[in-house]
Amino acid sequence: MKVQIHLPFFSACNLKSVRFWFFAAVLLQNAVAHEASAQLVTIPVETQHNALILQAGAKKDLKIIYFGKKLANQKEYELIPSGSKQIEDGTELLNSAYTPAGSRNLFEPAISVTHADGNNSLDLRYVKHDFQSISDGVSLLTILLKDPVYNFEVTLFYKSYFKEDVMEQWAVIRHQEKGDVVLQKYASANLHLKAGSYWLKQYHGDWAKEMQPEETKITHGIKTLDSKLGTRANLFQPSVFMVSLDKPATEDEGTILYGAVEWSGNFRVDLEVDQQDNLRILAGMNNYASAYTLKANQDFVTPAFLYTLSSQGKGLASRNLQQWARNYKLLDGKGTRLTLLNNWEATYFDFNEDKLAGLLKDTRKLGVDLFLLDDGWFANKYPRNDDHAGLGDWQENKQKLPNGISSLVKEAQGNRVKFGIWLEPEMVNPKSELYEKHPDWILKQPQRAEHYFRNQLVLDLSNPKVQDFVYQIVDGLFTKNPDLAYIKWDCNAVVYNIYSAHLKNQNHSYIEYVRGLYKVLEKIRAKYPLVPMMLCSGGGGRVDYAALKYFTEFWPSDNTDPIERIFMQWEYSYFYPAISSANHVTDWGKQPIKFRTDVAMMGKLGFDIVVSKLSATDLEFCQQAIKTYNEVKPIIWQGSQYRLSDPRENSVASMFYINPEQSAGIIFNYLVNNRYDEGSKLPIRLKGLDAAKKYRLKEINLYPGTNPGIDEGKTYSGDYLMKIGFNPVVNASRASVVLKLEAL
């Protein structure tokens, strides 16, 4: 369409005037454009391969204008908004970096508040930002947002890890209003993604069925992942997820975002596709039954939301996250771990000093580092002989252990092994002295009938007295037994009928419980910084990176059937490194001892078997397997992990770990389909090798009396192994094959 402008006839005299006004208009237009440009604040947050670009314009709305591969020229980020020709955004907040409720916003907010005067609206405008270098490769961006009407502010934090392409994001909320403000919602992060379509991979489960994956296309509207369990929050719905852009990502192709909420209580993730077909992700604590009253000049700090973006599929994203965890988050992530023998499968609650003395000798005979005494060692008035009584009464049971834990620690030292112990310090049985003495220490509604999960209730960790009690349980054990070497920290119940006798505001109960737990763990770690502790919650019911700051490892599931564990450990490995996964050899499943041991070696190895009932050959195998494991565990724990053959898509599962020098690796191969004539019919292509190096493959962890099923005399180039592959010869008679790869 052409627009014609008709001007009246001008004489030569007034033509000069026309020229003057024309040039004046051009200058004015340029000045306006310059002023708008000067008011534009563009804030790039870059990692090695990615960039998150924030921008505030003349109205000071902070927006996300880009999240993807970084550009070579930072100045060109400012050009990105001009390329979008989407339908108009009437709110001007669709791509907000932290969306407030009640003003112009029409979509799911990141934050919603009720001001001291009862007003429910909030408007957040950019004030300033600051970059800070924390250490080599780690930076922190802070952005201050304020409401122009109310004395209310939010500071956004973006902690970036350059080499790992990982980001942690959280918010600090504060006000100086004349009265209390009620926070109705308080997300940690508010992401905005642009793509043609979006695919969500989420997880669900239950006891012994953890980490069951589902992948679906995200349609318009809101998809919410959340937990309202209080404790053991990940039981039904883990707080980790993946989002693929444009199409479902594969192991090595596609753009994918991994997300994880670093919070051990109720969490919430909202995924909303808006009318412009963009995806908004809001993640943090669940605001369910948790409207939080914030007093003036107090900080409300949200937990971190963790995410990483990969343009080369799921495998790279997982390796980035694993490396980040080992370097920065997991307790002693670059350190070592103890192999152990647990007594649970051998004795359950039925043991005494003589039985345990025999098991301590078996620990030495087996060749592991530590003996772990599980549930059942405590309580006298209501002895812990089953799971109906005793929780909360943490004194040694005099009938079972007349000489106490200290005699067992000495017995362990006499057998040249270490000693560890099981605790469930957050819980109480109604049949206990603690319940009788301190009913006000328990989370329960005074007006409601008690409802139990595994015959127990949850202690009120929002109460400082309860925090001290739980700390003293641990500290008392170490004070009496300085050589105690390991804690298995369990948490088997969820919260029903939540009510805290300590708190005046019951809306704070869910949040203050978790904060109280962290206070206890902080205090324990201040005094005992390096004692190994396993995070157990009926299995993987609590694992997250806020908790893993305090624990060296976690228990993925009570289901230790090795076939089931192959699938579970596969999914966990997308988010957590092998060194953090406690895997035990037990009597679950019908597979031979070699198969069970091989599966458990893909992490931190332990045993929960009756050593005295092993055949001589099985015992010989286990002893040699532990020696083999001690030789190769640095590769498994610190190496790069590559998934070669997916058990959900193939008859053979294959997992590969290789050291940073690309000179040594371990390949685990398992038959997961027992139908007739199934096995590794084709070569399995390796990944992550040096194409120019020459490699040799050797079969390890062989059962006594068996020979290698592969030709160990040949050598292969890395190029050949990655393009053609190698057949580990997995079949019904060789259901588990472990190979060691070494560069010549």
Side-chain angles (χ1 to χ4, degrees):
M1 180 178 68
K2 292 183 178 180
V3 179
Q4 292 182 330
I5 301 176
H6 298 278
L7 296 175
F9 174 76
F10 288 97
S11 66
C13 181
N14 61 18
L15 189 58
K16 292 181 180 179
S17 177
V18 171
R19 288 172 179 161
F20 170 81
W21 288 113
F22 174 78
F23 286 115
V26 170
L27 289 171
L28 180 62
Q29 184 178 10
N30 289 339
V32 170
H34 178 75
E35 183 181 359
S37 176
Q39 291 179 326
L40 196 66
V41 178
T42 303
I43 310 169
V45 186
E46 293 187 330
T47 57
Q48 186 173 4
H49 300 103
N50 301 323
L52 175 69
I53 310 302
L54 304 153
Q55 192 175 79
K59 295 182 179 180
K60 303 301 182 183
D61 290 321
L62 184 68
K63 300 180 180 182
I64 297 173
I65 63 168
Y66 179 72
F67 186 27
K69 291 183 179 180
K70 74 177 182 182
L71 302 180
N73 183 356
Q74 281 195 358
K75 292 183 179 179
E76 291 190 310
Y77 289 126
E78 294 185 4
L79 303 176
I80 292 174
S82 64
S84 177
K85 305 300 178 185
Q86 293 178 315
I87 60 174
E88 184 180 353
D89 168 20
T91 71
E92 300 181 338
L93 289 172
L94 270 183
N95 60 338
S96 172
Y98 199 70
T99 314
S103 54
R104 293 163 288 151
N105 177 49
L106 300 175
F107 292 84
E108 184 63 30
I111 182 170
S112 175
V113 307
T114 301
H115 294 283
D117 64 1
N119 192 316
N120 289 322
S121 69
L122 182 64
D123 197 4
L124 294 174
R125 305 296 177 115
Y126 167 84
V127 177
K128 62 180 180 178
H129 71 277
D130 178 64
F131 268 109
Q132 180 183 356
S133 178
I134 296 177
S135 61
D136 183 28
V138 183
S139 300
L140 183 65
L141 165 68
T142 58
I143 305 176
L144 178 61
L145 308 176
K146 282 189 176 181
D147 189 304
V149 175
Y150 288 89
N151 202 341
F152 186 99
E153 64 184 48
V154 176
T155 305
L156 302 181
F157 291 80
Y158 298 83
K159 192 173 185 180
S160 56
Y161 300 84
F162 185 84
K163 295 177 183 177
E164 296 83 7
D165 284 324
V166 166
M167 193 93 71
E168 287 182 295
Q169 186 178 338
W170 67 95
V172 174
I173 303 167
R174 185 179 178 86
H175 76 91
Q176 291 180 318
E177 298 185 22
K178 295 179 180 179
D180 296 341
V181 171
V182 179
L183 307 181
Q184 308 289 355
K185 190 176 181 184
Y186 28 81
S188 301
N190 183 167
L191 295 182
H192 185 266
L193 302 171
K194 289 179 178 287
S197 59
Y198 311 92
W199 299 82
L200 171 67
K201 185 174 181 181
Q202 65 184 95
Y203 295 90
H204 67 95
D206 201 341
W207 179 81
K209 296 187 291 184
E210 288 85 354
M211 290 299 284
Q212 305 299 312
E214 290 179 310
E215 188 163 34
T216 54
K217 186 176 182 179
I218 307 175
T219 56
H220 289 80
I222 300 178
K223 170 76 173 184
T224 298
L225 311 177
D226 76 339
S227 170
K228 303 178 181 72
L229 305 183
T231 61
R232 202 176 174 183
N234 290 1
L235 176 61
F236 304 140
Q237 176 80 66
S239 55
V240 294
F241 64 93
M242 307 177 189
V243 173
S244 299
L245 307 186
D246 296 317
K247 61 181 180 180
T250 65
E251 194 67 28
D252 303 303
E253 295 181 345
T255 300
I256 190 164
L257 173 86
Y258 281 21
V261 181
E262 297 183 39
W263 180 246
S264 304
N266 296 341
F267 63 87
R268 174 173 171 176
V269 179
D270 296 313
L271 302 108
E272 181 175 29
V273 177
D274 63 30
Q275 87 280 15
Q276 291 187 346
D277 303 323
N278 301 316
L279 176 64
R280 305 170 70 249
I281 301 177
L282 303 104
M285 288 187 282
N286 199 338
N287 57 329
Y288 164 75
S290 297
Y292 199 92
T293 301
L294 186 66
K295 296 185 179 301
N297 297 311
Q298 287 186 345
D299 286 348
F300 183 90
V301 183
T302 73
F305 175 59
L306 168 71
Y307 52 97
T308 185
L309 185 70
S310 162
S311 60
Q312 297 177 43
K314 295 184 286 187
L316 178 61
S318 71
R319 288 187 290 278
N320 286 343
L321 206 52
Q322 290 172 1
Q323 185 69 4
W324 168 84
R326 290 189 295 257
N327 288 341
Y328 300 106
K329 187 63 65 168
L330 178 65
L331 184 66
D332 199 24
K334 304 294 283 185
T336 188
R337 299 291 185 271
L338 298 170
T339 55
L340 60 82
L341 175 67
N342 196 355
N343 73 300
W344 182 247
E345 299 282 346
T347 67
Y348 295 100
F349 294 99
D350 183 20
F351 57 82
N352 54 34
E353 285 184 350
D354 290 339
K355 277 189 180 181
L356 296 180
L359 293 176
L360 284 164
K361 290 181 174 62
D362 288 342
T363 306
R364 176 62 183 166
K365 183 193 298 183
L366 188 61
V368 293
D369 303 313
L370 176 137
F371 174 76
L372 172 61
L373 177 60
D374 214 295
D375 196 356
W377 58 269
F378 51 92
N380 290 293
K381 182 177 179 180
Y382 303 105
R384 182 70 168 173
N385 294 323
D386 55 40
D387 65 3
H388 288 78
L391 274 182
D393 302 343
W394 297 100
Q395 307 84 28
E396 296 101 326
N397 181 274
K398 294 177 182 177
Q399 186 173 357
K400 294 180 183 179
L401 306 175
N403 295 301
I405 296 297
S406 58
S407 67
L408 296 174
V409 175
K410 291 177 183 176
E411 184 78 19
Q413 290 174 328
N415 285 281
R416 288 177 290 168
V417 295
K418 297 178 184 295
F419 187 88
I421 200 163
W422 177 95
L423 291 170
E424 194 174 1
E426 302 165 65
M427 304 296 160
V428 61
N429 285 125
K431 196 174 182 179
S432 68
E433 291 185 85
L434 180 66
Y435 180 91
E436 293 174 345
K437 293 177 181 177
H438 297 286
D440 58 321
W441 283 11
I442 298 164
L443 290 173
K444 60 174 185 172
Q445 286 277 359
Q447 306 294 328
R448 307 284 182 189
E450 291 177 359
H451 192 69
Y452 306 129
F453 196 106
R454 206 189 177 199
N455 309 302
Q456 61 197 55
L457 295 168
V458 181
L459 293 177
D460 181 8
L461 278 175
S462 71
N463 187 336
K465 292 181 180 178
V466 178
Q467 295 169 22
D468 290 342
F469 170 77
V470 173
Y471 171 77
Q472 289 299 332
I473 293 168
V474 178
D475 186 50
L477 278 169
F478 280 108
T479 301
K480 294 177 184 176
N481 310 284
D483 293 317
L484 193 65
Y486 187 90
I487 295 289
K488 178 181 178 182
W489 184 298
D490 217 338
C491 170
N492 285 307
V494 301
V495 181
Y496 294 118
N497 293 328
I498 190 166
Y499 177 88
S500 165
H502 169 71
L503 294 174
K504 293 181 180 179
N505 189 334
Q506 296 306 310
N507 287 333
H508 294 188
S509 298
Y510 283 122
I511 293 174
E512 295 304 333
Y513 178 88
V514 181
R515 288 176 172 173
L517 171 65
Y518 292 160
K519 287 178 182 177
V520 173
L521 292 170
E522 287 279 359
K523 195 173 179 181
I524 290 171
R525 281 306 177 197
K527 189 169 182 180
Y528 307 102
L530 297 177
V531 173
M533 291 206 306
M534 179 202 293
L535 174 62
C536 184
S537 193
R542 181 185 263 173
V543 59
D544 65 85
Y545 277 115
L548 285 175
K549 289 190 298 184
Y550 309 106
F551 293 86
T552 49
E553 59 224 55
F554 73 95
W555 183 237
S557 176
D558 283 344
N559 186 342
T560 52
D561 181 308
I563 288 289
E564 295 292 336
R565 272 302 188 100
I566 289 169
F567 288 83
M568 288 183 190
Q569 290 168 203
W570 188 278
E571 300 300 335
Y572 274 117
S573 75
Y574 283 115
F575 301 94
Y576 304 104
I579 191 173
S580 69
S581 179
N583 307 331
H584 290 183
V585 180
T586 74
D587 289 331
W588 278 48
K590 300 178 181 178
Q591 292 77 17
I593 192 74
K594 170 178 163 51
F595 193 104
R596 287 178 274 150
T597 305
D598 289 350
V599 173
M601 286 172 68
M602 291 193 301
K604 202 225 75 168
L605 177 65
F607 289 81
D608 199 341
I609 56 176
V610 185
V611 176
S612 62
K613 292 184 179 180
L614 291 175
S615 69
T617 315
D618 279 359
L619 177 59
E620 180 188 351
F621 168 76
C622 290
Q623 292 168 331
Q624 185 55 50
I626 292 165
K627 293 177 182 177
T628 300
Y629 177 74
N630 287 333
E631 293 174 3
V632 303
K633 65 188 180 184
I635 301 172
I636 299 168
W637 292 350
Q638 302 298 334
S640 296
Q641 183 180 39
Y642 292 87
R643 298 166 199 84
L644 306 180
S645 180
D646 192 328
R648 286 187 166 81
E649 299 174 1
N650 304 285
S651 295
V652 173
S654 185
M655 187 76 82
F656 178 44
Y657 303 86
I658 186 167
N659 67 1
E661 297 78 23
Q662 299 173 300
S663 61
I666 306 296
I667 314 166
F668 294 94
N669 307 276
Y670 311 100
L671 183 66
V672 294
N673 182 348
N674 289 321
R675 297 195 68 181
Y676 175 73
D677 196 33
E678 287 298 332
S680 57
K681 298 179 181 179
L682 296 172
I684 295 173
R685 286 192 288 270
L686 276 64
K687 304 172 186 177
L689 302 180
D690 184 332
K693 286 183 178 178
K694 290 286 186 179
Y695 294 94
R696 180 176 284 122
L697 287 157
K698 177 184 179 182
E699 187 168 355
I700 61 173
N701 230 36
L702 287 162
Y703 192 78
T706 60
N707 297 315
I710 64 168
D711 185 348
E712 298 183 340
K714 293 182 179 179
T715 60
Y716 309 85
S717 68
D719 181 59
Y720 178 91
L721 291 171
M722 290 190 290
K723 292 177 180 176
I724 306 300
F726 181 85
N727 196 321
V729 193
V730 176
N731 52 49
S733 62
R734 285 169 49 80
S736 176
V737 177
V738 183
L739 304 176
K740 185 174 184 181
L741 174 142
E742 290 183 299
L744 300 183

